[in-house]
Amino acid sequence: MTSFVTQSLEEIRFWSRIMKEHTFFLSMGFTVDQTQLIQEARYYMDLFERIEEQIRDYNENTDPEVIRQLNVQVYEAAASIWAYKRKVLGLQLRCEIVTNNMPLLVDHTSREAAYFAKRLVELNEGKLKPLPEAIIKENVFFLKIMADHAKFIGHLLDPSERKLVEQARDFSHDFDQLLFQAQDLDHMRPQSETVPLLDQFLDQNRVSVVSLRDFKKTARDLIEACRIKSNIPALLADHVYREADHFLHIIDAFDEHLTSNNS
């Protein structure tokens, strides 16, 4: 049961911080008269900060039943913030509000909330080891996230940063193509769930994710040093860097699982 406890705490630590930061970014994009939406964003910031504080008291030796109940509690928070984000997206797409948050960004953050909630359910159901189906579907999810990030970076860089904008567009194209390939592999399931195909699939994705992660790290460092012109807050630059690094850890875990099962 230690694996269940450890995995649960790792997911909650990572994604609770992500959820908290999402609401901060969204609140920055609302106009001053959108007080209700700003107040709701602050509510979720406080909610996930409390969750972060709560889990500091837990470790790998915590009673699994306590962690199971924690997963239920955090699931409810993740489902609630997902509904909030979808509400904001609906208001935008019906032109009932105008904000500085791009609809794709709001949709992007809601997909991550849904993923977080789903992971908590899977953990409580005992789904700890990756299945071939999960390997493909997880990569479909994260490749879309990475493609979105490249688009956001390109959009928020000052147009005069021509080289960086061009690099961001190249990453956007690269990850769109990887996403299409992953979706093709997904459509071919279960016949595509072979070790050689999945191994090549992970290797190919890893190369591009490492490159994007390093690009994000460089951009983050340049932003923090005020060496480039952009509308990207340093926290957002670090946020997308951490998500790319998280994806790499997932790829490595999948690769290790394939290797151990094939030996």
Side-chain angles (χ1 to χ4, degrees):
M1 297 301 286
T2 303
S3 179
F4 163 73
V5 170
T6 302
Q7 286 190 43
S8 296
L9 291 176
E10 286 176 354
E11 294 282 356
I12 293 171
R13 285 193 186 100
F14 179 81
W15 287 108
S16 290
R17 182 179 179 186
I18 295 295
M19 295 298 111
K20 181 180 71 175
E21 291 172 353
H22 281 171
T23 52
F24 174 68
F25 300 141
L26 292 176
S27 69
M28 289 175 61
F30 293 128
T31 56
V32 292
D33 59 312
Q34 293 164 347
T35 54
Q36 179 62 35
L37 292 174
I38 293 171
Q39 287 173 2
E40 289 181 79
R42 288 175 178 163
Y43 164 80
Y44 286 110
M45 271 190 274
D46 291 342
L47 174 61
F48 282 98
E49 188 165 328
R50 289 196 301 272
I51 290 170
E52 285 185 300
E53 292 172 356
Q54 178 183 353
I55 64 171
R56 287 175 191 152
D57 296 329
Y58 300 148
N59 56 48
E60 62 184 19
N61 298 315
T62 302
D63 182 350
E65 188 54 39
V66 171
I67 299 302
R68 190 167 283 106
Q69 291 304 314
L70 174 68
N71 286 348
V72 172
Q73 172 199 336
V74 180
Y75 166 84
E76 292 173 354
S80 181
I81 197 173
W82 173 84
Y84 166 68
K85 292 168 176 176
R86 299 307 289 185
K87 179 181 76 172
V88 172
L89 180 62
L91 291 170
Q92 289 180 294
L93 296 182
R94 294 192 300 271
C95 299
E96 294 179 26
I97 61 169
V98 175
T99 81
N100 291 318
N101 298 310
M102 292 173 285
L104 181 61
L105 174 64
V106 180
D107 174 60
H108 173 100
T109 65
S110 76
R111 278 182 267 122
E112 291 187 352
Y115 172 88
F116 182 24
K118 178 172 172 284
R119 280 297 297 135
L120 293 167
V121 171
E122 289 174 344
L123 286 165
N124 271 11
E125 290 176 346
K127 297 177 182 176
L128 305 182
K129 294 182 179 179
L131 302 171
E133 174 185 348
I135 291 175
I136 296 173
K137 288 190 174 297
E138 287 266 315
N139 276 265
V140 168
F141 172 81
F142 275 103
L143 289 170
K144 170 63 174 167
I145 294 298
M146 296 299 110
D148 289 350
H149 284 174
K151 292 174 177 62
F152 298 148
I153 293 168
H155 182 81
L156 293 171
L157 285 165
D158 189 86
S160 67
E161 297 286 357
R162 298 174 187 275
K163 188 64 177 177
L164 288 174
V165 170
E166 182 182 358
Q167 285 180 273
R169 287 174 179 163
D170 287 344
F171 277 117
S172 173
H173 176 74
D174 183 29
F175 277 90
D176 280 344
Q177 295 306 113
L178 290 173
L179 174 61
F180 295 149
Q181 287 186 192
Q183 289 171 334
D184 288 340
L185 204 61
D186 190 28
H187 295 156
M188 295 177 190
R189 287 192 306 105
Q191 288 78 10
S192 60
E193 295 171 356
T194 70
V195 171
L197 282 177
L198 293 177
D199 188 52
Q200 166 63 12
F201 175 61
L202 292 174
D203 286 347
Q204 187 176 45
N205 291 345
R206 181 188 289 104
V207 170
S208 290
V209 179
V210 167
S211 183
L212 178 61
R213 181 199 59 182
D214 293 347
F215 171 74
K216 289 174 174 179
K217 184 179 184 299
T218 299
R220 180 198 65 186
D221 294 345
L222 291 172
I223 289 166
E224 288 177 347
C226 198
R227 294 180 63 188
I228 59 173
K229 304 174 292 297
S230 79
N231 284 339
I232 305 173
L235 180 61
L236 178 58
D238 186 59
H239 178 99
V240 297
Y241 164 76
R242 277 182 272 118
E243 290 192 1
D245 198 54
H246 185 71
F247 185 19
L248 278 175
H249 288 305
I250 290 174
I251 289 175
D252 288 342
F254 284 154
D255 196 37
E256 182 181 348
H257 178 72
L258 283 180
T259 303
S260 62
N261 276 16
N262 202 40
S263 58

